Structures are given as C-alpha cells and as structure tokens.
C-alpha cells in the first residue's frame, strides 16, 4: 500500500470524525452521528474484508495523490490497524444508534471519538500508526506469527525487533 494514500485516507477519516464529534459536542445534534460513523465503519469493512484499494477514503486519497510518486509500506500491519479501526468504529456506531434514544450515552461515545481521533491524529501528523505499533508488539510477544516479508512502516517509524 502507498504511505501517501494511507495518510490522506486517515486525514479524511479524521476530518469526518471531528465533524461528528463537533456536531454532537457543540450543537448537541446526534442524528448525524450514525451516518458519519456508519460511513467510517463501512470504509474500514471494505478495507478489511475486500481490499483497501476499494475503500471510499482510499479512492479519494488516490485522486488527491495522483501526481505523487508512490511510497510503499507494509500491507500486513495496515490490515491489522484497519481491523482495529473496524472494531472501534463498529462499537462507536452501535453507541451512536443507542444515543438516538438515550442521550446519556454521549459521554461514552465522546470517549471513543477522542480515542479514535487521537489514533488518526498520530498517523496524519506524526506518521506513526499506533495500530501498527500494536501489531508489532503482538508480533514481538509471539501472539501472532511472523510475516513472510518484513514490512516497511510509515516514516520508518517501527522495526521488527
């Protein structure tokens, strides 16, 4: 996968997440949240179960970065990170649906939004994929098997030790 596309995709998701967060926090308007979070969840679902190249944010990122030279990074750890994103967005989506009838769940949803947006912020601004770091931690601890090829990380931010 291309580092430029991944970072741009993360920026698109971050902007959507911040939009959802602002809609709920500043305007107390919760009706939009399931749609925004649902789109993010669907994006991760496509990336995990089909191919990241078909995910809507990646398609937008490809267009935005069409004149840049691709910078390949490892797909294995990105798949793991996107699986983490799918899990977090699925939980957030479920909470956002429940929020429509119980506004007391907003603080819980805010906590998930802050956590998810922080992960995205680290990827976009610092080029550090926290999900990839978790992948390499699990790899080094022996919780998952070694990949056939050593993947390259965003901004050379990690190594298999």
């Amino acid at each position: 996968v291309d580092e430029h596309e991944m970072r741009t995709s993360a920026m698109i998701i971050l902007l959507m997440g911040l939009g959802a967060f602002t809609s709920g926090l500043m305007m107390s308007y919760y009706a939009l949240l399931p749609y925004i979070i649902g789109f993010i969840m669907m994006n991760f679902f496509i990336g995990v179960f089909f191919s990241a190249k078909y995910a809507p944010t990646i398609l937008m990122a490809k267009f935005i970065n069409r004149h840049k030279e691709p910078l390949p990074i490892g797909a294995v750890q990105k798949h793991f990170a996107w699986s983490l994103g799918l899990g977090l967005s699925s939980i957030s989506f479920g909470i956002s649906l429940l929020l429509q009838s119980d506004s007391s769940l907003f603080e819980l949803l805010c906590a998930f939004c802050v956590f998810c947006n922080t992960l995205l912020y680290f990827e976009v601004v610092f080029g550090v994929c926290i999900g990839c770091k978790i992948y390499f931690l699990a790899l080094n601890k022996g919780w998952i098997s070694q990949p056939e090829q050593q993947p390259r990380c965003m901004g050379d931010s990690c190594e298999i030790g």
Side-chain angles (χ1 to χ4, degrees):
V1 293
D2 179 19
E3 178 172 349
H4 302 298
E5 291 171 6
M6 285 292 134
R7 287 180 84 169
T8 304
S9 173
M11 178 55 123
I12 294 166
I13 295 168
L14 175 62
L15 291 174
M16 293 178 73
L18 289 174
F21 184 72
T22 302
S23 169
L25 188 65
M26 304 298 263
M27 298 181 283
S28 298
Y29 184 66
Y30 307 138
L32 215 58
L33 299 179
Y35 296 102
I36 295 171
I37 298 169
F39 177 83
I40 293 169
M41 181 182 71
M42 178 208 56
N43 184 72
F44 282 126
F45 182 86
I46 292 168
V48 170
F49 291 108
F50 297 100
S51 173
K53 68 182 178 181
Y54 301 122
T57 59
I58 293 292
L59 294 173
M60 289 184 259
K62 280 183 187 298
F63 179 76
I64 293 167
N65 291 294
R66 67 188 177 278
H67 299 297
K68 286 189 177 176
E69 189 69 32
L71 185 58
I73 57 172
V76 175
Q77 75 270 21
K78 291 308 292 182
H79 187 270
F80 180 88
W82 274 47
S83 298
L84 179 66
L86 176 60
L88 291 170
S89 62
S90 297
I91 292 168
S92 297
F93 180 69
I95 296 170
S96 74
L97 291 176
L98 295 172
L99 179 66
Q100 303 307 308
S101 60
D102 183 3
S103 62
S104 69
L105 294 171
F106 184 66
E107 289 178 7
L108 178 62
L109 184 59
C110 276
F112 270 94
C113 281
V114 167
F115 181 69
C116 295
N117 286 339
T118 300
L119 295 177
L120 289 164
Y121 183 82
F122 268 82
E123 181 159 352
V124 170
V125 174
F126 302 117
V128 176
C129 172
I130 303 293
C132 298
K133 294 282 191 189
I134 295 169
Y135 169 79
F136 286 108
L137 174 68
L139 197 61
N140 288 331
K141 295 286 184 184
W143 299 332
I144 56 177
S145 60
Q146 290 283 340
E148 291 179 23
Q149 291 183 323
Q150 182 172 345
R152 183 182 174 279
C153 296
M154 296 180 90
D156 294 321
S157 62
C158 54
E159 299 175 16
I160 296 179

mmCIF file with all atom_site columns, all heavy atoms in Angstrom, residues 63-87:
data_model
loop_
_atom_site.group_PDB
_atom_site.id
_atom_site.type_symbol
_atom_site.label_atom_id
_atom_site.label_alt_id
_atom_site.label_comp_id
_atom_site.label_asym_id
_atom_site.label_entity_id
_atom_site.label_seq_id
_atom_site.pdbx_PDB_ins_code
_atom_site.Cartn_x
_atom_site.Cartn_y
_atom_site.Cartn_z
_atom_site.occupancy
_atom_site.B_iso_or_equiv
_atom_site.pdbx_formal_charge
_atom_site.auth_seq_id
_atom_site.auth_comp_id
_atom_site.auth_asym_id
_atom_site.auth_atom_id
_atom_site.pdbx_PDB_model_num
ATOM 1   N N   . PHE A 1 63 ? -7.019  9.872  -5.725  1.00 0.00 ? 63 PHE A N   1
ATOM 2   C CA  . PHE A 1 63 ? -7.235  11.041 -6.580  1.00 0.00 ? 63 PHE A CA  1
ATOM 3   C C   . PHE A 1 63 ? -6.399  12.229 -6.098  1.00 0.00 ? 63 PHE A C   1
ATOM 4   O O   . PHE A 1 63 ? -5.735  12.891 -6.885  1.00 0.00 ? 63 PHE A O   1
ATOM 5   C CB  . PHE A 1 63 ? -8.726  11.407 -6.620  1.00 0.00 ? 63 PHE A CB  1
ATOM 6   C CG  . PHE A 1 63 ? -9.001  12.610 -7.454  1.00 0.00 ? 63 PHE A CG  1
ATOM 7   C CD1 . PHE A 1 63 ? -8.988  12.527 -8.831  1.00 0.00 ? 63 PHE A CD1 1
ATOM 8   C CD2 . PHE A 1 63 ? -9.250  13.836 -6.861  1.00 0.00 ? 63 PHE A CD2 1
ATOM 9   C CE1 . PHE A 1 63 ? -9.222  13.649 -9.619  1.00 0.00 ? 63 PHE A CE1 1
ATOM 10  C CE2 . PHE A 1 63 ? -9.487  14.975 -7.628  1.00 0.00 ? 63 PHE A CE2 1
ATOM 11  C CZ  . PHE A 1 63 ? -9.468  14.875 -9.019  1.00 0.00 ? 63 PHE A CZ  1
ATOM 12  N N   . ILE A 1 64 ? -6.410  12.482 -4.818  1.00 0.00 ? 64 ILE A N   1
ATOM 13  C CA  . ILE A 1 64 ? -5.663  13.611 -4.249  1.00 0.00 ? 64 ILE A CA  1
ATOM 14  C C   . ILE A 1 64 ? -4.166  13.452 -4.483  1.00 0.00 ? 64 ILE A C   1
ATOM 15  O O   . ILE A 1 64 ? -3.463  14.425 -4.776  1.00 0.00 ? 64 ILE A O   1
ATOM 16  C CB  . ILE A 1 64 ? -5.983  13.765 -2.745  1.00 0.00 ? 64 ILE A CB  1
ATOM 17  C CG1 . ILE A 1 64 ? -7.445  14.201 -2.568  1.00 0.00 ? 64 ILE A CG1 1
ATOM 18  C CG2 . ILE A 1 64 ? -5.022  14.730 -2.063  1.00 0.00 ? 64 ILE A CG2 1
ATOM 19  C CD1 . ILE A 1 64 ? -7.961  14.088 -1.143  1.00 0.00 ? 64 ILE A CD1 1
ATOM 20  N N   . ASN A 1 65 ? -3.673  12.229 -4.385  1.00 0.00 ? 65 ASN A N   1
ATOM 21  C CA  . ASN A 1 65 ? -2.222  11.962 -4.501  1.00 0.00 ? 65 ASN A CA  1
ATOM 22  C C   . ASN A 1 65 ? -1.810  11.451 -5.877  1.00 0.00 ? 65 ASN A C   1
ATOM 23  O O   . ASN A 1 65 ? -0.715  10.915 -6.018  1.00 0.00 ? 65 ASN A O   1
ATOM 24  C CB  . ASN A 1 65 ? -1.809  10.938 -3.433  1.00 0.00 ? 65 ASN A CB  1
ATOM 25  C CG  . ASN A 1 65 ? -1.879  11.512 -2.047  1.00 0.00 ? 65 ASN A CG  1
ATOM 26  O OD1 . ASN A 1 65 ? -1.129  12.413 -1.716  1.00 0.00 ? 65 ASN A OD1 1
ATOM 27  N ND2 . ASN A 1 65 ? -2.799  10.995 -1.245  1.00 0.00 ? 65 ASN A ND2 1
ATOM 28  N N   . ARG A 1 66 ? -2.627  11.640 -6.875  1.00 0.00 ? 66 ARG A N   1
ATOM 29  C CA  . ARG A 1 66 ? -2.376  11.036 -8.188  1.00 0.00 ? 66 ARG A CA  1
ATOM 30  C C   . ARG A 1 66 ? -1.065  11.474 -8.829  1.00 0.00 ? 66 ARG A C   1
ATOM 31  O O   . ARG A 1 66 ? -0.511  10.765 -9.652  1.00 0.00 ? 66 ARG A O   1
ATOM 32  C CB  . ARG A 1 66 ? -3.550  11.278 -9.126  1.00 0.00 ? 66 ARG A CB  1
ATOM 33  C CG  . ARG A 1 66 ? -3.763  12.702 -9.530  1.00 0.00 ? 66 ARG A CG  1
ATOM 34  C CD  . ARG A 1 66 ? -5.073  12.894 -10.307 1.00 0.00 ? 66 ARG A CD  1
ATOM 35  N NE  . ARG A 1 66 ? -5.318  14.272 -10.646 1.00 0.00 ? 66 ARG A NE  1
ATOM 36  C CZ  . ARG A 1 66 ? -5.847  15.174 -9.829  1.00 0.00 ? 66 ARG A CZ  1
ATOM 37  N NH1 . ARG A 1 66 ? -6.181  14.823 -8.600  1.00 0.00 ? 66 ARG A NH1 1
ATOM 38  N NH2 . ARG A 1 66 ? -6.043  16.413 -10.224 1.00 0.00 ? 66 ARG A NH2 1
ATOM 39  N N   . HIS A 1 67 ? -0.531  12.624 -8.445  1.00 0.00 ? 67 HIS A N   1
ATOM 40  C CA  . HIS A 1 67 ? 0.711   13.112 -9.048  1.00 0.00 ? 67 HIS A CA  1
ATOM 41  C C   . HIS A 1 67 ? 1.939   12.814 -8.189  1.00 0.00 ? 67 HIS A C   1
ATOM 42  O O   . HIS A 1 67 ? 3.050   13.179 -8.567  1.00 0.00 ? 67 HIS A O   1
ATOM 43  C CB  . HIS A 1 67 ? 0.623   14.618 -9.312  1.00 0.00 ? 67 HIS A CB  1
ATOM 44  C CG  . HIS A 1 67 ? -0.475  14.980 -10.268 1.00 0.00 ? 67 HIS A CG  1
ATOM 45  N ND1 . HIS A 1 67 ? -0.507  14.551 -11.579 1.00 0.00 ? 67 HIS A ND1 1
ATOM 46  C CD2 . HIS A 1 67 ? -1.604  15.703 -10.086 1.00 0.00 ? 67 HIS A CD2 1
ATOM 47  C CE1 . HIS A 1 67 ? -1.587  15.005 -12.166 1.00 0.00 ? 67 HIS A CE1 1
ATOM 48  N NE2 . HIS A 1 67 ? -2.284  15.707 -11.283 1.00 0.00 ? 67 HIS A NE2 1
ATOM 49  N N   . LYS A 1 68 ? 1.747   12.158 -7.060  1.00 0.00 ? 68 LYS A N   1
ATOM 50  C CA  . LYS A 1 68 ? 2.885   11.825 -6.192  1.00 0.00 ? 68 LYS A CA  1
ATOM 51  C C   . LYS A 1 68 ? 3.429   10.451 -6.538  1.00 0.00 ? 68 LYS A C   1
ATOM 52  O O   . LYS A 1 68 ? 2.690   9.545  -6.907  1.00 0.00 ? 68 LYS A O   1
ATOM 53  C CB  . LYS A 1 68 ? 2.463   11.835 -4.716  1.00 0.00 ? 68 LYS A CB  1
ATOM 54  C CG  . LYS A 1 68 ? 2.266   13.195 -4.145  1.00 0.00 ? 68 LYS A CG  1
ATOM 55  C CD  . LYS A 1 68 ? 2.077   13.108 -2.646  1.00 0.00 ? 68 LYS A CD  1
ATOM 56  C CE  . LYS A 1 68 ? 1.963   14.489 -2.061  1.00 0.00 ? 68 LYS A CE  1
ATOM 57  N NZ  . LYS A 1 68 ? 1.692   14.439 -0.629  1.00 0.00 ? 68 LYS A NZ  1
ATOM 58  N N   . GLU A 1 69 ? 4.720   10.311 -6.350  1.00 0.00 ? 69 GLU A N   1
ATOM 59  C CA  . GLU A 1 69 ? 5.375   9.010  -6.521  1.00 0.00 ? 69 GLU A CA  1
ATOM 60  C C   . GLU A 1 69 ? 4.950   8.115  -5.356  1.00 0.00 ? 69 GLU A C   1
ATOM 61  O O   . GLU A 1 69 ? 5.065   8.509  -4.201  1.00 0.00 ? 69 GLU A O   1
ATOM 62  C CB  . GLU A 1 69 ? 6.896   9.201  -6.513  1.00 0.00 ? 69 GLU A CB  1
ATOM 63  C CG  . GLU A 1 69 ? 7.679   7.985  -6.900  1.00 0.00 ? 69 GLU A CG  1
ATOM 64  C CD  . GLU A 1 69 ? 7.527   7.621  -8.368  1.00 0.00 ? 69 GLU A CD  1
ATOM 65  O OE1 . GLU A 1 69 ? 7.353   8.521  -9.206  1.00 0.00 ? 69 GLU A OE1 1
ATOM 66  O OE2 . GLU A 1 69 ? 7.589   6.415  -8.653  1.00 0.00 ? 69 GLU A OE2 1
ATOM 67  N N   . PRO A 1 70 ? 4.452   6.898  -5.626  1.00 0.00 ? 70 PRO A N   1
ATOM 68  C CA  . PRO A 1 70 ? 4.037   6.007  -4.529  1.00 0.00 ? 70 PRO A CA  1
ATOM 69  C C   . PRO A 1 70 ? 5.203   5.693  -3.591  1.00 0.00 ? 70 PRO A C   1
ATOM 70  O O   . PRO A 1 70 ? 6.343   5.564  -4.020  1.00 0.00 ? 70 PRO A O   1
ATOM 71  C CB  . PRO A 1 70 ? 3.569   4.736  -5.245  1.00 0.00 ? 70 PRO A CB  1
ATOM 72  C CG  . PRO A 1 70 ? 3.290   5.161  -6.646  1.00 0.00 ? 70 PRO A CG  1
ATOM 73  C CD  . PRO A 1 70 ? 4.221   6.309  -6.939  1.00 0.00 ? 70 PRO A CD  1
ATOM 74  N N   . LEU A 1 71 ? 4.881   5.573  -2.314  1.00 0.00 ? 71 LEU A N   1
ATOM 75  C CA  . LEU A 1 71 ? 5.859   5.225  -1.288  1.00 0.00 ? 71 LEU A CA  1
ATOM 76  C C   . LEU A 1 71 ? 5.319   3.977  -0.582  1.00 0.00 ? 71 LEU A C   1
ATOM 77  O O   . LEU A 1 71 ? 4.485   4.086  0.310   1.00 0.00 ? 71 LEU A O   1
ATOM 78  C CB  . LEU A 1 71 ? 6.044   6.386  -0.313  1.00 0.00 ? 71 LEU A CB  1
ATOM 79  C CG  . LEU A 1 71 ? 7.108   6.241  0.754   1.00 0.00 ? 71 LEU A CG  1
ATOM 80  C CD1 . LEU A 1 71 ? 8.480   5.992  0.130   1.00 0.00 ? 71 LEU A CD1 1
ATOM 81  C CD2 . LEU A 1 71 ? 7.147   7.499  1.610   1.00 0.00 ? 71 LEU A CD2 1
ATOM 82  N N   . PRO A 1 72 ? 5.785   2.793  -1.007  1.00 0.00 ? 72 PRO A N   1
ATOM 83  C CA  . PRO A 1 72 ? 5.203   1.556  -0.474  1.00 0.00 ? 72 PRO A CA  1
ATOM 84  C C   . PRO A 1 72 ? 5.499   1.339  1.008   1.00 0.00 ? 72 PRO A C   1
ATOM 85  O O   . PRO A 1 72 ? 6.597   1.623  1.483   1.00 0.00 ? 72 PRO A O   1
ATOM 86  C CB  . PRO A 1 72 ? 5.849   0.449  -1.309  1.00 0.00 ? 72 PRO A CB  1
ATOM 87  C CG  . PRO A 1 72 ? 6.777   1.090  -2.265  1.00 0.00 ? 72 PRO A CG  1
ATOM 88  C CD  . PRO A 1 72 ? 6.826   2.555  -1.988  1.00 0.00 ? 72 PRO A CD  1
ATOM 89  N N   . ILE A 1 73 ? 4.473   0.858  1.714   1.00 0.00 ? 73 ILE A N   1
ATOM 90  C CA  . ILE A 1 73 ? 4.602   0.431  3.109   1.00 0.00 ? 73 ILE A CA  1
ATOM 91  C C   . ILE A 1 73 ? 3.944   -0.930 3.235   1.00 0.00 ? 73 ILE A C   1
ATOM 92  O O   . ILE A 1 73 ? 3.207   -1.360 2.345   1.00 0.00 ? 73 ILE A O   1
ATOM 93  C CB  . ILE A 1 73 ? 3.977   1.437  4.104   1.00 0.00 ? 73 ILE A CB  1
ATOM 94  C CG1 . ILE A 1 73 ? 2.506   1.681  3.781   1.00 0.00 ? 73 ILE A CG1 1
ATOM 95  C CG2 . ILE A 1 73 ? 4.764   2.723  4.140   1.00 0.00 ? 73 ILE A CG2 1
ATOM 96  C CD1 . ILE A 1 73 ? 1.776   2.504  4.817   1.00 0.00 ? 73 ILE A CD1 1
ATOM 97  N N   . GLY A 1 74 ? 4.183   -1.612 4.340   1.00 0.00 ? 74 GLY A N   1
ATOM 98  C CA  . GLY A 1 74 ? 3.663   -2.958 4.530   1.00 0.00 ? 74 GLY A CA  1
ATOM 99  C C   . GLY A 1 74 ? 2.151   -2.996 4.682   1.00 0.00 ? 74 GLY A C   1
ATOM 100 O O   . GLY A 1 74 ? 1.574   -2.246 5.465   1.00 0.00 ? 74 GLY A O   1
ATOM 101 N N   . ALA A 1 75 ? 1.526   -3.872 3.922   1.00 0.00 ? 75 ALA A N   1
ATOM 102 C CA  . ALA A 1 75 ? 0.074   -4.004 3.978   1.00 0.00 ? 75 ALA A CA  1
ATOM 103 C C   . ALA A 1 75 ? -0.382  -4.840 5.172   1.00 0.00 ? 75 ALA A C   1
ATOM 104 O O   . ALA A 1 75 ? -1.497  -4.671 5.647   1.00 0.00 ? 75 ALA A O   1
ATOM 105 C CB  . ALA A 1 75 ? -0.436  -4.622 2.680   1.00 0.00 ? 75 ALA A CB  1
ATOM 106 N N   . VAL A 1 76 ? 0.474   -5.725 5.672   1.00 0.00 ? 76 VAL A N   1
ATOM 107 C CA  . VAL A 1 76 ? 0.077   -6.627 6.753   1.00 0.00 ? 76 VAL A CA  1
ATOM 108 C C   . VAL A 1 76 ? -0.289  -5.846 8.004   1.00 0.00 ? 76 VAL A C   1
ATOM 109 O O   . VAL A 1 76 ? -1.362  -6.041 8.578   1.00 0.00 ? 76 VAL A O   1
ATOM 110 C CB  . VAL A 1 76 ? 1.208   -7.646 7.066   1.00 0.00 ? 76 VAL A CB  1
ATOM 111 C CG1 . VAL A 1 76 ? 0.854   -8.505 8.249   1.00 0.00 ? 76 VAL A CG1 1
ATOM 112 C CG2 . VAL A 1 76 ? 1.504   -8.495 5.852   1.00 0.00 ? 76 VAL A CG2 1
ATOM 113 N N   . GLN A 1 77 ? 0.585   -4.945 8.434   1.00 0.00 ? 77 GLN A N   1
ATOM 114 C CA  . GLN A 1 77 ? 0.298   -4.191 9.650   1.00 0.00 ? 77 GLN A CA  1
ATOM 115 C C   . GLN A 1 77 ? -0.822  -3.174 9.425   1.00 0.00 ? 77 GLN A C   1
ATOM 116 O O   . GLN A 1 77 ? -1.581  -2.871 10.343  1.00 0.00 ? 77 GLN A O   1
ATOM 117 C CB  . GLN A 1 77 ? 1.555   -3.525 10.218  1.00 0.00 ? 77 GLN A CB  1
ATOM 118 C CG  . GLN A 1 77 ? 2.052   -2.307 9.473   1.00 0.00 ? 77 GLN A CG  1
ATOM 119 C CD  . GLN A 1 77 ? 3.042   -2.634 8.385   1.00 0.00 ? 77 GLN A CD  1
ATOM 120 O OE1 . GLN A 1 77 ? 3.112   -3.749 7.887   1.00 0.00 ? 77 GLN A OE1 1
ATOM 121 N NE2 . GLN A 1 77 ? 3.814   -1.643 7.985   1.00 0.00 ? 77 GLN A NE2 1
ATOM 122 N N   . LYS A 1 78 ? -0.975  -2.660 8.201   1.00 0.00 ? 78 LYS A N   1
ATOM 123 C CA  . LYS A 1 78 ? -2.078  -1.744 7.922   1.00 0.00 ? 78 LYS A CA  1
ATOM 124 C C   . LYS A 1 78 ? -3.406  -2.495 7.971   1.00 0.00 ? 78 LYS A C   1
ATOM 125 O O   . LYS A 1 78 ? -4.405  -1.958 8.437   1.00 0.00 ? 78 LYS A O   1
ATOM 126 C CB  . LYS A 1 78 ? -1.913  -1.066 6.561   1.00 0.00 ? 78 LYS A CB  1
ATOM 127 C CG  . LYS A 1 78 ? -0.779  -0.087 6.489   1.00 0.00 ? 78 LYS A CG  1
ATOM 128 C CD  . LYS A 1 78 ? -0.782  0.952  7.582   1.00 0.00 ? 78 LYS A CD  1
ATOM 129 C CE  . LYS A 1 78 ? -1.904  1.936  7.499   1.00 0.00 ? 78 LYS A CE  1
ATOM 130 N NZ  . LYS A 1 78 ? -1.848  2.972  8.560   1.00 0.00 ? 78 LYS A NZ  1
ATOM 131 N N   . HIS A 1 79 ? -3.414  -3.746 7.512   1.00 0.00 ? 79 HIS A N   1
ATOM 132 C CA  . HIS A 1 79 ? -4.629  -4.558 7.597   1.00 0.00 ? 79 HIS A CA  1
ATOM 133 C C   . HIS A 1 79 ? -5.007  -4.768 9.061   1.00 0.00 ? 79 HIS A C   1
ATOM 134 O O   . HIS A 1 79 ? -6.185  -4.670 9.427   1.00 0.00 ? 79 HIS A O   1
ATOM 135 C CB  . HIS A 1 79 ? -4.425  -5.900 6.883   1.00 0.00 ? 79 HIS A CB  1
ATOM 136 C CG  . HIS A 1 79 ? -5.665  -6.711 6.781   1.00 0.00 ? 79 HIS A CG  1
ATOM 137 N ND1 . HIS A 1 79 ? -6.044  -7.616 7.748   1.00 0.00 ? 79 HIS A ND1 1
ATOM 138 C CD2 . HIS A 1 79 ? -6.631  -6.728 5.839   1.00 0.00 ? 79 HIS A CD2 1
ATOM 139 C CE1 . HIS A 1 79 ? -7.178  -8.171 7.403   1.00 0.00 ? 79 HIS A CE1 1
ATOM 140 N NE2 . HIS A 1 79 ? -7.565  -7.642 6.251   1.00 0.00 ? 79 HIS A NE2 1
ATOM 141 N N   . PHE A 1 80 ? -4.022  -5.031 9.886   1.00 0.00 ? 80 PHE A N   1
ATOM 142 C CA  . PHE A 1 80 ? -4.258  -5.183 11.321  1.00 0.00 ? 80 PHE A CA  1
ATOM 143 C C   . PHE A 1 80 ? -4.807  -3.880 11.909  1.00 0.00 ? 80 PHE A C   1
ATOM 144 O O   . PHE A 1 80 ? -5.785  -3.878 12.670  1.00 0.00 ? 80 PHE A O   1
ATOM 145 C CB  . PHE A 1 80 ? -2.951  -5.584 12.025  1.00 0.00 ? 80 PHE A CB  1
ATOM 146 C CG  . PHE A 1 80 ? -3.082  -5.768 13.504  1.00 0.00 ? 80 PHE A CG  1
ATOM 147 C CD1 . PHE A 1 80 ? -3.456  -6.993 14.031  1.00 0.00 ? 80 PHE A CD1 1
ATOM 148 C CD2 . PHE A 1 80 ? -2.835  -4.710 14.380  1.00 0.00 ? 80 PHE A CD2 1
ATOM 149 C CE1 . PHE A 1 80 ? -3.576  -7.176 15.408  1.00 0.00 ? 80 PHE A CE1 1
ATOM 150 C CE2 . PHE A 1 80 ? -2.957  -4.875 15.749  1.00 0.00 ? 80 PHE A CE2 1
ATOM 151 C CZ  . PHE A 1 80 ? -3.329  -6.109 16.263  1.00 0.00 ? 80 PHE A CZ  1
ATOM 152 N N   . ALA A 1 81 ? -4.199  -2.749 11.547  1.00 0.00 ? 81 ALA A N   1
ATOM 153 C CA  . ALA A 1 81 ? -4.637  -1.444 12.058  1.00 0.00 ? 81 ALA A CA  1
ATOM 154 C C   . ALA A 1 81 ? -6.056  -1.128 11.585  1.00 0.00 ? 81 ALA A C   1
ATOM 155 O O   . ALA A 1 81 ? -6.868  -0.599 12.348  1.00 0.00 ? 81 ALA A O   1
ATOM 156 C CB  . ALA A 1 81 ? -3.661  -0.356 11.615  1.00 0.00 ? 81 ALA A CB  1
ATOM 157 N N   . TRP A 1 82 ? -6.358  -1.455 10.337  1.00 0.00 ? 82 TRP A N   1
ATOM 158 C CA  . TRP A 1 82 ? -7.716  -1.219 9.832   1.00 0.00 ? 82 TRP A CA  1
ATOM 159 C C   . TRP A 1 82 ? -8.716  -2.140 10.525  1.00 0.00 ? 82 TRP A C   1
ATOM 160 O O   . TRP A 1 82 ? -9.862  -1.759 10.726  1.00 0.00 ? 82 TRP A O   1
ATOM 161 C CB  . TRP A 1 82 ? -7.752  -1.381 8.311   1.00 0.00 ? 82 TRP A CB  1
ATOM 162 C CG  . TRP A 1 82 ? -7.390  -0.120 7.580   1.00 0.00 ? 82 TRP A CG  1
ATOM 163 C CD1 . TRP A 1 82 ? -6.324  0.700  7.845   1.00 0.00 ? 82 TRP A CD1 1
ATOM 164 C CD2 . TRP A 1 82 ? -8.083  0.469  6.503   1.00 0.00 ? 82 TRP A CD2 1
ATOM 165 N NE1 . TRP A 1 82 ? -6.328  1.753  6.980   1.00 0.00 ? 82 TRP A NE1 1
ATOM 166 C CE2 . TRP A 1 82 ? -7.391  1.637  6.131   1.00 0.00 ? 82 TRP A CE2 1
ATOM 167 C CE3 . TRP A 1 82 ? -9.217  0.113  5.780   1.00 0.00 ? 82 TRP A CE3 1
ATOM 168 C CZ2 . TRP A 1 82 ? -7.804  2.466  5.095   1.00 0.00 ? 82 TRP A CZ2 1
ATOM 169 C CZ3 . TRP A 1 82 ? -9.618  0.942  4.739   1.00 0.00 ? 82 TRP A CZ3 1
ATOM 170 C CH2 . TRP A 1 82 ? -8.926  2.100  4.409   1.00 0.00 ? 82 TRP A CH2 1
ATOM 171 N N   . SER A 1 83 ? -8.291  -3.335 10.895  1.00 0.00 ? 83 SER A N   1
ATOM 172 C CA  . SER A 1 83 ? -9.173  -4.223 11.668  1.00 0.00 ? 83 SER A CA  1
ATOM 173 C C   . SER A 1 83 ? -9.482  -3.593 13.021  1.00 0.00 ? 83 SER A C   1
ATOM 174 O O   . SER A 1 83 ? -10.621 -3.658 13.498  1.00 0.00 ? 83 SER A O   1
ATOM 175 C CB  . SER A 1 83 ? -8.527  -5.598 11.864  1.00 0.00 ? 83 SER A CB  1
ATOM 176 O OG  . SER A 1 83 ? -8.304  -6.226 10.633  1.00 0.00 ? 83 SER A OG  1
ATOM 177 N N   . LEU A 1 84 ? -8.479  -2.994 13.641  1.00 0.00 ? 84 LEU A N   1
ATOM 178 C CA  . LEU A 1 84 ? -8.683  -2.268 14.892  1.00 0.00 ? 84 LEU A CA  1
ATOM 179 C C   . LEU A 1 84 ? -9.656  -1.109 14.662  1.00 0.00 ? 84 LEU A C   1
ATOM 180 O O   . LEU A 1 84 ? -10.582 -0.889 15.458  1.00 0.00 ? 84 LEU A O   1
ATOM 181 C CB  . LEU A 1 84 ? -7.339  -1.750 15.417  1.00 0.00 ? 84 LEU A CB  1
ATOM 182 C CG  . LEU A 1 84 ? -7.346  -0.940 16.699  1.00 0.00 ? 84 LEU A CG  1
ATOM 183 C CD1 . LEU A 1 84 ? -7.775  -1.800 17.882  1.00 0.00 ? 84 LEU A CD1 1
ATOM 184 C CD2 . LEU A 1 84 ? -5.958  -0.365 16.951  1.00 0.00 ? 84 LEU A CD2 1
ATOM 185 N N   . GLY A 1 85 ? -9.478  -0.384 13.578  1.00 0.00 ? 85 GLY A N   1
ATOM 186 C CA  . GLY A 1 85 ? -10.385 0.710  13.227  1.00 0.00 ? 85 GLY A CA  1
ATOM 187 C C   . GLY A 1 85 ? -11.805 0.227  13.003  1.00 0.00 ? 85 GLY A C   1
ATOM 188 O O   . GLY A 1 85 ? -12.775 0.883  13.403  1.00 0.00 ? 85 GLY A O   1
ATOM 189 N N   . LEU A 1 86 ? -11.939 -0.943 12.379  1.00 0.00 ? 86 LEU A N   1
ATOM 190 C CA  . LEU A 1 86 ? -13.270 -1.521 12.169  1.00 0.00 ? 86 LEU A CA  1
ATOM 191 C C   . LEU A 1 86 ? -13.928 -1.851 13.493  1.00 0.00 ? 86 LEU A C   1
ATOM 192 O O   . LEU A 1 86 ? -15.111 -1.550 13.699  1.00 0.00 ? 86 LEU A O   1
ATOM 193 C CB  . LEU A 1 86 ? -13.183 -2.773 11.284  1.00 0.00 ? 86 LEU A CB  1
ATOM 194 C CG  . LEU A 1 86 ? -14.493 -3.536 11.058  1.00 0.00 ? 86 LEU A CG  1
ATOM 195 C CD1 . LEU A 1 86 ? -15.538 -2.651 10.380  1.00 0.00 ? 86 LEU A CD1 1
ATOM 196 C CD2 . LEU A 1 86 ? -14.228 -4.788 10.238  1.00 0.00 ? 86 LEU A CD2 1
ATOM 197 N N   . GLY A 1 87 ? -13.163 -2.427 14.412  1.00 0.00 ? 87 GLY A N   1
ATOM 198 C CA  . GLY A 1 87 ? -13.710 -2.759 15.725  1.00 0.00 ? 87 GLY A CA  1
ATOM 199 C C   . GLY A 1 87 ? -14.148 -1.517 16.489  1.00 0.00 ? 87 GLY A C   1
ATOM 200 O O   . GLY A 1 87 ? -15.263 -1.460 17.026  1.00 0.00 ? 87 GLY A O   1
#
